[in-house]
């Protein structure tokens, strides 16, 4: 069996298994109607869920052998098989109904889980509260404008420093995270290590990094900057290294044929090819960092976010309104400026 | 003319995917000759050239160059030292598009310059003078400070020749040097290669498609078919029978003037 076939069956089994386990869980909770207390029994719940998932994987295998193409099979089958299969309307296929039922069940469960309620949305008391809030926000208190401007400047610089300090790290790491450079077996294991490290770092939200650093270095813009920097290094390295992987081979061969060393080859054949996209990604990262810096301020990362959470906690809506106006203006300006700069760099 | 500069014996190259690009290829390259390799696309011409400067690693056989077996070289510095003495030009020129012509030509000095110096662009005045000398030789010195991607194909190939010459090579490999050029430019570039060959005494090994060019420029010709050497001799004695043997029956010769 080819490895592609194996990984297809693996993915299909997980997807179909999860979908079947979902059906089983819903049916079981309809029959037994468990209390909240009973639902906290994680051990039992996991046994039921993963058991159902396993059964689902087996069922999916049986169905596919019997000629009923499940959603998992249809999604993960190789492109050439997809291209050969005849086009049918979704309601004439087994996988179509499988997908439809899954989404429908997910939607119904979602309504309960998110406590979706038209009643709450249109409740008179709640509506009055919202009206008060909007009234406050739409009559901003301009007295806090100077403080808001000072704080947003702090936020912008926090984002700027995070971006600038991330560049050298990301620049160097990007080459070690590019498959076409790290071909040698020893280099490849280092590449795998860096990739894993980056993925783990990126999967921890900047918000979480901010919480960590606000304990480490104390609440304030420094903590926010460090959090954004860690996140920027991981994101920029990924974007940079993807650019390195798409460079054209010609100049590399040309420079190598002159007897260039590895470092010379990277510097003269690869760097000129990736420079413009690097700058473009970096400008965009600064733009993203300004927006993230605002959010990070909410958990003690300093800047405008910290100011916002302070006034929000005291329900001082006119002041909150001023802050929102300032944030919106700066985010809009950054967004436009970065778009124009990136356009010019193409 | 008779002393071999490169002696290729039973050269083999099998790619990791199992394709056997070169099968038991043996020939000598004489010092100072203009050797042309002909053959269909995929016959192994490019692979052969790249095995000679170790852009590809041969999987068997030997290539003797100055009492040294190129195939056996293993360290990076040995291979760099080899490439220093064997220049190469390519079908798609392989210049650095965003750099100036002069800085492209200075790439020929990379193997002679410590890495840190080259990264800060600290090439000596002698190096720059030498680069300009070779730009003059290929008649393009006035474009020295223009970005390489602003030049036409023929001009770019001349810059590539100057880059290779700046290495002071004994052998120049040319992989389809005129295949992406128009017929008129073709001859200009080939003429410069002949000049390099005759005036500087650099041995040239060149892959070509057009037999009419082969007859004008080659002093000797070898032909590859399916990775094997099928012809070796004088370009003028390639007749219709040979032509069909190399390119397959029913092939018609295309002339380029």
């Amino acid at each position: 069996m080819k490895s592609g076939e194996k990984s297809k069956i693996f993915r299909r089994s997980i997807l179909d298994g999860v979908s079947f386990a979902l059906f089983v869980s819903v049916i079981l909770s309809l029959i037994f109607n468990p209390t909240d207390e009973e639902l906290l029994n994680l051990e039992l719940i996991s046994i039921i869920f993963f058991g159902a998932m396993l059964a689902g994987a087996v069922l999916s295998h049986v169905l596919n052998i019997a000629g009923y193409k499940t959603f998992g099979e249809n999604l993960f089958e190789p492109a050439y098989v997809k291209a050969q299969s005849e086009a049918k309307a979704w309601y004439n296929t087994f996988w179509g109904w499988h997908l439809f039922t899954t989404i429908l069940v997910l939607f119904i469960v979602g309504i309960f889980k998110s406590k979706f309620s038209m009643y709450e949305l249109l409740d008179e008391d709640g509506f009055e509260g919202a009206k008060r809030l909007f009234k406050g926000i739409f009559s901003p208190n301009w007295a806090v404008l100077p403080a808001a401007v000072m704080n947003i400047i702090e936020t912008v610089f926090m984002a700027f420093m995070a971006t600038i300090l991330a560049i050298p790290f990301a620049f160097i790491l990007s080459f070690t995270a590019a498959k076409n450079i790290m071909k040698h077996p020893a280099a490849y294991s280092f590449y795998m290590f860096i990739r894993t490290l980056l993925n783990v770092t990126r999967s921890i939200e900047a918000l979480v990094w901010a919480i960590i650093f606000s304990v480490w270095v104390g609440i304030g813009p420094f903590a926010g900057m460090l959090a954004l920097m860690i996140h920027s290094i991981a994101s920029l390295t990924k974007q940079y290294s993807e650019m390195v992987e798409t460079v054209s081979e010609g100049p590399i061969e040309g420079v190598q044929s002159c007897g260039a060393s590895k470092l010379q080859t990277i510097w003269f054949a690869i760097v000129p090819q990736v420079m413009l996209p690097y700058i473009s990604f970096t400008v965009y990262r600064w733009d993203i960092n300004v927006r993230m810096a605002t959010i990070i301020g909410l958990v003690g990362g300093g800047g405008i976010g910290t100011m916002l959470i302070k006034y929000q906690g005291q329900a001082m809506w006119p002041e909150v309104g001023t802050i929102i106006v300032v944030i919106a203006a700066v985010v809009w300006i950054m967004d436009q400026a970065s778009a124009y700069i990136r356009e010019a760099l193409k | 003319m008779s002393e071999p500069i490169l002696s290729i014996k039973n050269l083999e190259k099998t790619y990791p995917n199992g394709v056997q690009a070169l099968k038991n290829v043996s020939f000598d390259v004489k010092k100072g000759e203009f050797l042309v390799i002909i053959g269909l696309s995929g016959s192994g011409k490019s692979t052969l050239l790249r095995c000679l400067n170790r852009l590809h690693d041969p999987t068997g056989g030997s290539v003797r160059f100055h009492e040294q077996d190129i195939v056996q070289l293993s360290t990076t510095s040995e291979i760099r030292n080899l490439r220093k003495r064997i220049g190469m030009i390519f079908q798609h020129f392989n210049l650095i598009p965003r750099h100036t012509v002069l800085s492209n030509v200075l790439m020929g000095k990379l193997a002679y310059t410590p890495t840190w110096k080259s990264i800060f662009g600290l090439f000596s005045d002698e190096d720059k003078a030498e680069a300009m000398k070779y730009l003059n030789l290929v008649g393009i010195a006035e474009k020295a400070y223009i970005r390489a991607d602003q030049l036409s194909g023929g001009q770019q190939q001349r810059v590539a020749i100057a880059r290779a010459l700046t290495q002071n090579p004994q052998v120049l490999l040319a992989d389809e040097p005129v295949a992406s050029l128009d017929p008129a430019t073709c001859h200009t570039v080939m003429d410069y290669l002949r000049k390099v060959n005759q005036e500087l005494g650099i041995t040239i090994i060149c892959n070509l498609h057009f037999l009419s060019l082969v007859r004008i420029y080659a002093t000797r010709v070898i032909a590859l078919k399916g990775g094997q050497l099928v012809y070796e001799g004088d370009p003028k004695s390639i007749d219709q029978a040979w032509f069909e043997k190399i390119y397959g029956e029913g092939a018609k010769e295309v002339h380029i003037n």
Side-chain angles (χ1 to χ4, degrees), chain B residues 65-88:
Chain B
F65 177 57
H66 291 294
E67 310 302 322
Q68 212 180 17
D69 184 0
I70 288 175
V71 178
Q72 298 303 325
L73 300 181
S74 55
T75 67
T76 331
S77 70
E78 280 174 340
I79 291 172
R80 287 185 68 190
N81 200 36
L82 166 77
R83 288 182 186 155
K84 198 151 97 173
R85 294 174 293 165
I86 300 186
M88 186 162 185

PDB file of all heavy atoms in Angstrom, chain B residues 65-88:
ATOM      1  N   PHE B  65      41.230  15.511 -13.941  1.00  0.00           N
ATOM      2  CA  PHE B  65      41.484  16.920 -14.237  1.00  0.00           C
ATOM      3  C   PHE B  65      42.706  17.299 -13.419  1.00  0.00           C
ATOM      4  O   PHE B  65      42.647  17.310 -12.185  1.00  0.00           O
ATOM      5  CB  PHE B  65      40.252  17.733 -13.831  1.00  0.00           C
ATOM      6  CG  PHE B  65      40.379  19.228 -14.005  1.00  0.00           C
ATOM      7  CD1 PHE B  65      40.684  19.777 -15.249  1.00  0.00           C
ATOM      8  CD2 PHE B  65      40.149  20.087 -12.943  1.00  0.00           C
ATOM      9  CE1 PHE B  65      40.774  21.149 -15.416  1.00  0.00           C
ATOM     10  CE2 PHE B  65      40.244  21.463 -13.102  1.00  0.00           C
ATOM     11  CZ  PHE B  65      40.557  21.994 -14.349  1.00  0.00           C
ATOM     12  N   HIS B  66      43.845  17.534 -14.093  1.00  0.00           N
ATOM     13  CA  HIS B  66      45.092  17.851 -13.386  1.00  0.00           C
ATOM     14  C   HIS B  66      45.430  16.826 -12.298  1.00  0.00           C
ATOM     15  O   HIS B  66      45.525  17.170 -11.124  1.00  0.00           O
ATOM     16  CB  HIS B  66      45.014  19.237 -12.743  1.00  0.00           C
ATOM     17  CG  HIS B  66      45.010  20.332 -13.746  1.00  0.00           C
ATOM     18  ND1 HIS B  66      46.071  20.608 -14.563  1.00  0.00           N
ATOM     19  CD2 HIS B  66      44.048  21.217 -14.078  1.00  0.00           C
ATOM     20  CE1 HIS B  66      45.780  21.622 -15.347  1.00  0.00           C
ATOM     21  NE2 HIS B  66      44.563  22.007 -15.077  1.00  0.00           N
ATOM     22  N   GLU B  67      45.559  15.612 -12.663  1.00  0.00           N
ATOM     23  CA  GLU B  67      45.974  14.555 -11.714  1.00  0.00           C
ATOM     24  C   GLU B  67      44.984  14.356 -10.569  1.00  0.00           C
ATOM     25  O   GLU B  67      45.303  13.799  -9.541  1.00  0.00           O
ATOM     26  CB  GLU B  67      47.368  14.862 -11.099  1.00  0.00           C
ATOM     27  CG  GLU B  67      48.462  15.205 -12.093  1.00  0.00           C
ATOM     28  CD  GLU B  67      48.679  14.104 -13.120  1.00  0.00           C
ATOM     29  OE1 GLU B  67      48.588  12.923 -12.741  1.00  0.00           O
ATOM     30  OE2 GLU B  67      48.887  14.428 -14.305  1.00  0.00           O
ATOM     31  N   GLN B  68      43.783  14.854 -10.725  1.00  0.00           N
ATOM     32  CA  GLN B  68      42.809  14.781  -9.646  1.00  0.00           C
ATOM     33  C   GLN B  68      41.553  14.132 -10.219  1.00  0.00           C
ATOM     34  O   GLN B  68      41.203  14.401 -11.365  1.00  0.00           O
ATOM     35  CB  GLN B  68      42.493  16.208  -9.192  1.00  0.00           C
ATOM     36  CG  GLN B  68      42.165  16.336  -7.740  1.00  0.00           C
ATOM     37  CD  GLN B  68      41.863  17.783  -7.385  1.00  0.00           C
ATOM     38  OE1 GLN B  68      41.605  18.615  -8.251  1.00  0.00           O
ATOM     39  NE2 GLN B  68      41.877  18.060  -6.103  1.00  0.00           N
ATOM     40  N   ASP B  69      40.882  13.273  -9.435  1.00  0.00           N
ATOM     41  CA  ASP B  69      39.633  12.706  -9.922  1.00  0.00           C
ATOM     42  C   ASP B  69      38.462  13.524  -9.371  1.00  0.00           C
ATOM     43  O   ASP B  69      38.182  13.503  -8.171  1.00  0.00           O
ATOM     44  CB  ASP B  69      39.514  11.236  -9.484  1.00  0.00           C
ATOM     45  CG  ASP B  69      38.272  10.578 -10.062  1.00  0.00           C
ATOM     46  OD1 ASP B  69      37.525  11.273 -10.792  1.00  0.00           O
ATOM     47  OD2 ASP B  69      38.053   9.385  -9.780  1.00  0.00           O
ATOM     48  N   ILE B  70      37.818  14.247 -10.254  1.00  0.00           N
ATOM     49  CA  ILE B  70      36.717  15.136  -9.872  1.00  0.00           C
ATOM     50  C   ILE B  70      35.618  14.369  -9.130  1.00  0.00           C
ATOM     51  O   ILE B  70      35.032  14.858  -8.168  1.00  0.00           O
ATOM     52  CB  ILE B  70      36.138  15.814 -11.132  1.00  0.00           C
ATOM     53  CG1 ILE B  70      37.119  16.850 -11.664  1.00  0.00           C
ATOM     54  CG2 ILE B  70      34.782  16.436 -10.851  1.00  0.00           C
ATOM     55  CD1 ILE B  70      36.697  17.485 -12.961  1.00  0.00           C
ATOM     56  N   VAL B  71      35.358  13.130  -9.584  1.00  0.00           N
ATOM     57  CA  VAL B  71      34.271  12.340  -8.997  1.00  0.00           C
ATOM     58  C   VAL B  71      34.528  12.050  -7.517  1.00  0.00           C
ATOM     59  O   VAL B  71      33.599  11.949  -6.725  1.00  0.00           O
ATOM     60  CB  VAL B  71      34.084  11.029  -9.794  1.00  0.00           C
ATOM     61  CG1 VAL B  71      32.995  10.166  -9.187  1.00  0.00           C
ATOM     62  CG2 VAL B  71      33.779  11.333 -11.249  1.00  0.00           C
ATOM     63  N   GLN B  72      35.817  11.952  -7.153  1.00  0.00           N
ATOM     64  CA  GLN B  72      36.149  11.584  -5.774  1.00  0.00           C
ATOM     65  C   GLN B  72      36.149  12.760  -4.800  1.00  0.00           C
ATOM     66  O   GLN B  72      36.215  12.570  -3.594  1.00  0.00           O
ATOM     67  CB  GLN B  72      37.537  10.911  -5.720  1.00  0.00           C
ATOM     68  CG  GLN B  72      37.620   9.616  -6.511  1.00  0.00           C
ATOM     69  CD  GLN B  72      36.592   8.587  -6.070  1.00  0.00           C
ATOM     70  OE1 GLN B  72      36.270   8.489  -4.889  1.00  0.00           O
ATOM     71  NE2 GLN B  72      36.045   7.846  -7.024  1.00  0.00           N
ATOM     72  N   LEU B  73      36.103  13.994  -5.325  1.00  0.00           N
ATOM     73  CA  LEU B  73      36.132  15.162  -4.430  1.00  0.00           C
ATOM     74  C   LEU B  73      34.944  15.095  -3.488  1.00  0.00           C
ATOM     75  O   LEU B  73      33.820  14.836  -3.901  1.00  0.00           O
ATOM     76  CB  LEU B  73      36.068  16.468  -5.233  1.00  0.00           C
ATOM     77  CG  LEU B  73      37.190  16.715  -6.238  1.00  0.00           C
ATOM     78  CD1 LEU B  73      36.973  18.052  -6.927  1.00  0.00           C
ATOM     79  CD2 LEU B  73      38.542  16.680  -5.568  1.00  0.00           C
ATOM     80  N   SER B  74      35.194  15.337  -2.183  1.00  0.00           N
ATOM     81  CA  SER B  74      34.076  15.215  -1.256  1.00  0.00           C
ATOM     82  C   SER B  74      33.858  16.458  -0.397  1.00  0.00           C
ATOM     83  O   SER B  74      32.734  16.826  -0.102  1.00  0.00           O
ATOM     84  CB  SER B  74      34.259  13.991  -0.361  1.00  0.00           C
ATOM     85  OG  SER B  74      35.503  14.090   0.286  1.00  0.00           O
ATOM     86  N   THR B  75      34.926  17.149   0.000  1.00  0.00           N
ATOM     87  CA  THR B  75      34.692  18.294   0.884  1.00  0.00           C
ATOM     88  C   THR B  75      34.249  19.518   0.090  1.00  0.00           C
ATOM     89  O   THR B  75      34.525  19.641  -1.107  1.00  0.00           O
ATOM     90  CB  THR B  75      35.963  18.666   1.669  1.00  0.00           C
ATOM     91  OG1 THR B  75      36.917  19.160   0.726  1.00  0.00           O
ATOM     92  CG2 THR B  75      36.546  17.479   2.402  1.00  0.00           C
ATOM     93  N   THR B  76      33.556  20.411   0.782  1.00  0.00           N
ATOM     94  CA  THR B  76      33.060  21.627   0.147  1.00  0.00           C
ATOM     95  C   THR B  76      34.204  22.450  -0.432  1.00  0.00           C
ATOM     96  O   THR B  76      34.083  23.006  -1.515  1.00  0.00           O
ATOM     97  CB  THR B  76      32.312  22.486   1.180  1.00  0.00           C
ATOM     98  OG1 THR B  76      31.769  21.622   2.157  1.00  0.00           O
ATOM     99  CG2 THR B  76      31.211  23.272   0.525  1.00  0.00           C
ATOM    100  N   SER B  77      35.335  22.507   0.304  1.00  0.00           N
ATOM    101  CA  SER B  77      36.419  23.364  -0.173  1.00  0.00           C
ATOM    102  C   SER B  77      37.070  22.770  -1.416  1.00  0.00           C
ATOM    103  O   SER B  77      37.482  23.496  -2.314  1.00  0.00           O
ATOM    104  CB  SER B  77      37.441  23.609   0.931  1.00  0.00           C
ATOM    105  OG  SER B  77      38.158  22.434   1.194  1.00  0.00           O
ATOM    106  N   GLU B  78      37.137  21.430  -1.491  1.00  0.00           N
ATOM    107  CA  GLU B  78      37.670  20.811  -2.716  1.00  0.00           C
ATOM    108  C   GLU B  78      36.791  21.138  -3.919  1.00  0.00           C
ATOM    109  O   GLU B  78      37.270  21.465  -4.997  1.00  0.00           O
ATOM    110  CB  GLU B  78      37.734  19.288  -2.537  1.00  0.00           C
ATOM    111  CG  GLU B  78      38.934  18.799  -1.742  1.00  0.00           C
ATOM    112  CD  GLU B  78      38.869  17.301  -1.471  1.00  0.00           C
ATOM    113  OE1 GLU B  78      37.765  16.712  -1.545  1.00  0.00           O
ATOM    114  OE2 GLU B  78      39.914  16.729  -1.176  1.00  0.00           O
ATOM    115  N   ILE B  79      35.475  21.049  -3.690  1.00  0.00           N
ATOM    116  CA  ILE B  79      34.549  21.301  -4.793  1.00  0.00           C
ATOM    117  C   ILE B  79      34.584  22.777  -5.197  1.00  0.00           C
ATOM    118  O   ILE B  79      34.573  23.112  -6.384  1.00  0.00           O
ATOM    119  CB  ILE B  79      33.124  20.834  -4.410  1.00  0.00           C
ATOM    120  CG1 ILE B  79      33.110  19.301  -4.333  1.00  0.00           C
ATOM    121  CG2 ILE B  79      32.102  21.319  -5.419  1.00  0.00           C
ATOM    122  CD1 ILE B  79      31.850  18.705  -3.789  1.00  0.00           C
ATOM    123  N   ARG B  80      34.676  23.676  -4.205  1.00  0.00           N
ATOM    124  CA  ARG B  80      34.783  25.100  -4.524  1.00  0.00           C
ATOM    125  C   ARG B  80      36.036  25.360  -5.340  1.00  0.00           C
ATOM    126  O   ARG B  80      36.042  26.151  -6.285  1.00  0.00           O
ATOM    127  CB  ARG B  80      34.848  25.923  -3.239  1.00  0.00           C
ATOM    128  CG  ARG B  80      33.547  26.014  -2.514  1.00  0.00           C
ATOM    129  CD  ARG B  80      33.682  26.941  -1.316  1.00  0.00           C
ATOM    130  NE  ARG B  80      33.876  28.319  -1.722  1.00  0.00           N
ATOM    131  CZ  ARG B  80      34.215  29.298  -0.880  1.00  0.00           C
ATOM    132  NH1 ARG B  80      34.399  29.028   0.392  1.00  0.00           N
ATOM    133  NH2 ARG B  80      34.363  30.525  -1.316  1.00  0.00           N
ATOM    134  N   ASN B  81      37.117  24.688  -4.943  1.00  0.00           N
ATOM    135  CA  ASN B  81      38.382  24.876  -5.629  1.00  0.00           C
ATOM    136  C   ASN B  81      38.301  24.397  -7.081  1.00  0.00           C
ATOM    137  O   ASN B  81      38.885  24.992  -7.983  1.00  0.00           O
ATOM    138  CB  ASN B  81      39.463  24.115  -4.861  1.00  0.00           C
ATOM    139  CG  ASN B  81      40.835  24.624  -5.204  1.00  0.00           C
ATOM    140  OD1 ASN B  81      40.998  25.825  -5.422  1.00  0.00           O
ATOM    141  ND2 ASN B  81      41.796  23.721  -5.279  1.00  0.00           N
ATOM    142  N   LEU B  82      37.521  23.324  -7.297  1.00  0.00           N
ATOM    143  CA  LEU B  82      37.313  22.824  -8.655  1.00  0.00           C
ATOM    144  C   LEU B  82      36.509  23.835  -9.477  1.00  0.00           C
ATOM    145  O   LEU B  82      36.878  24.177 -10.612  1.00  0.00           O
ATOM    146  CB  LEU B  82      36.573  21.483  -8.594  1.00  0.00           C
ATOM    147  CG  LEU B  82      35.998  20.987  -9.920  1.00  0.00           C
ATOM    148  CD1 LEU B  82      37.108  20.411 -10.788  1.00  0.00           C
ATOM    149  CD2 LEU B  82      34.913  19.952  -9.699  1.00  0.00           C
ATOM    150  N   ARG B  83      35.418  24.327  -8.892  1.00  0.00           N
ATOM    151  CA  ARG B  83      34.532  25.242  -9.630  1.00  0.00           C
ATOM    152  C   ARG B  83      35.243  26.551  -9.969  1.00  0.00           C
ATOM    153  O   ARG B  83      34.911  27.212 -10.945  1.00  0.00           O
ATOM    154  CB  ARG B  83      33.282  25.525  -8.795  1.00  0.00           C
ATOM    155  CG  ARG B  83      32.367  24.324  -8.726  1.00  0.00           C
ATOM    156  CD  ARG B  83      31.121  24.634  -7.950  1.00  0.00           C
ATOM    157  NE  ARG B  83      30.315  23.428  -7.761  1.00  0.00           N
ATOM    158  CZ  ARG B  83      29.464  23.263  -6.761  1.00  0.00           C
ATOM    159  NH1 ARG B  83      29.304  24.228  -5.873  1.00  0.00           N
ATOM    160  NH2 ARG B  83      28.771  22.163  -6.654  1.00  0.00           N
ATOM    161  N   LYS B  84      36.188  26.909  -9.121  1.00  0.00           N
ATOM    162  CA  LYS B  84      37.005  28.089  -9.379  1.00  0.00           C
ATOM    163  C   LYS B  84      37.681  27.975 -10.751  1.00  0.00           C
ATOM    164  O   LYS B  84      37.802  28.946 -11.482  1.00  0.00           O
ATOM    165  CB  LYS B  84      38.062  28.130  -8.277  1.00  0.00           C
ATOM    166  CG  LYS B  84      38.746  29.429  -8.076  1.00  0.00           C
ATOM    167  CD  LYS B  84      39.179  29.546  -6.625  1.00  0.00           C
ATOM    168  CE  LYS B  84      40.604  29.184  -6.340  1.00  0.00           C
ATOM    169  NZ  LYS B  84      41.013  29.460  -4.970  1.00  0.00           N
ATOM    170  N   ARG B  85      38.105  26.766 -11.097  1.00  0.00           N
ATOM    171  CA  ARG B  85      38.886  26.577 -12.322  1.00  0.00           C
ATOM    172  C   ARG B  85      38.038  26.162 -13.521  1.00  0.00           C
ATOM    173  O   ARG B  85      38.532  26.023 -14.617  1.00  0.00           O
ATOM    174  CB  ARG B  85      39.988  25.534 -12.064  1.00  0.00           C
ATOM    175  CG  ARG B  85      41.022  26.030 -11.066  1.00  0.00           C
ATOM    176  CD  ARG B  85      42.008  24.960 -10.720  1.00  0.00           C
ATOM    177  NE  ARG B  85      41.379  23.871  -9.967  1.00  0.00           N
ATOM    178  CZ  ARG B  85      41.952  22.679  -9.797  1.00  0.00           C
ATOM    179  NH1 ARG B  85      43.101  22.405 -10.328  1.00  0.00           N
ATOM    180  NH2 ARG B  85      41.326  21.752  -9.095  1.00  0.00           N
ATOM    181  N   ILE B  86      36.736  25.872 -13.264  1.00  0.00           N
ATOM    182  CA  ILE B  86      35.847  25.502 -14.364  1.00  0.00           C
ATOM    183  C   ILE B  86      34.646  26.442 -14.350  1.00  0.00           C
ATOM    184  O   ILE B  86      33.787  26.341 -13.484  1.00  0.00           O
ATOM    185  CB  ILE B  86      35.389  24.036 -14.218  1.00  0.00           C
ATOM    186  CG1 ILE B  86      36.606  23.102 -14.247  1.00  0.00           C
ATOM    187  CG2 ILE B  86      34.406  23.688 -15.320  1.00  0.00           C
ATOM    188  CD1 ILE B  86      36.265  21.632 -14.265  1.00  0.00           C
ATOM    189  N   GLY B  87      34.607  27.368 -15.285  1.00  0.00           N
ATOM    190  CA  GLY B  87      33.492  28.322 -15.339  1.00  0.00           C
ATOM    191  C   GLY B  87      32.296  27.704 -16.025  1.00  0.00           C
ATOM    192  O   GLY B  87      32.405  26.679 -16.696  1.00  0.00           O
ATOM    193  N   MET B  88      31.118  28.339 -15.843  1.00  0.00           N
ATOM    194  CA  MET B  88      29.941  27.781 -16.520  1.00  0.00           C
ATOM    195  C   MET B  88      28.974  28.892 -16.907  1.00  0.00           C
ATOM    196  O   MET B  88      28.788  29.848 -16.149  1.00  0.00           O
ATOM    197  CB  MET B  88      29.239  26.778 -15.604  1.00  0.00           C
ATOM    198  CG  MET B  88      28.083  26.056 -16.288  1.00  0.00           C
ATOM    199  SD  MET B  88      27.623  24.539 -15.404  1.00  0.00           S
ATOM    200  CE  MET B  88      26.401  23.863 -16.510  1.00  0.00           C
TER     201      MET B  88
END
